[in-house]
Amino acid sequence: MTQTFKPYMVSFYSNAVYLNGSRRLSDLAPVYQQPVIQFAAETYTESMIDNSLMQGWITQEEYDATMAKRTNV
C-alpha cells in the first residue's frame, strides 16, 4: 500500500526521531525518510543532532546523512 505524503507530518516525525527518540527513522514510511532528514538538517543545531546520535535515536549512517545536508554550518 502506498502512503500519501502529508507535508505537515515531516515536522512531527522529525521531532519524534531527533528530539525525543519516540520513533526511528527506519520505521517511517520511505516517502518520509529523506524529507525528515532534510528538515532536521535545516532546522536543528549540530548539538541537537549530535545528541540524537549519542542517545541512540539515530544511527551513525543517519547522522552522516543529516550532517551532509546541513547548509547552515
Side-chain angles (χ1 to χ4, degrees):
M1 181 168 99
T2 304
Q3 182 164 359
T4 304
F5 182 79
K6 297 176 178 127
Y8 66 89
M9 293 299 292
V10 172
S11 173
F12 170 79
Y13 285 144
S14 190
N15 288 339
V17 171
Y18 287 86
L19 300 186
N20 64 40
S22 61
R23 292 189 183 255
R24 297 285 181 251
L25 194 59
S26 60
D27 294 336
L28 301 181
V31 69
Y32 286 104
Q33 292 177 5
Q34 286 305 311
V36 165
I37 289 171
Q38 187 70 44
F39 181 89
E42 294 173 353
T43 306
Y44 303 142
T45 64
E46 185 173 346
S47 64
M48 294 166 86
I49 298 167
D50 289 348
N51 185 61
S52 301
L53 179 63
M54 288 187 298
Q55 295 294 330
W57 299 335
I58 59 173
T59 65
Q60 183 67 50
E61 183 178 287
E62 293 163 348
Y63 174 85
D64 294 341
T66 305
M67 296 307 284
K69 292 188 178 289
R70 285 181 54 83
T71 57
N72 57 348
V73 182

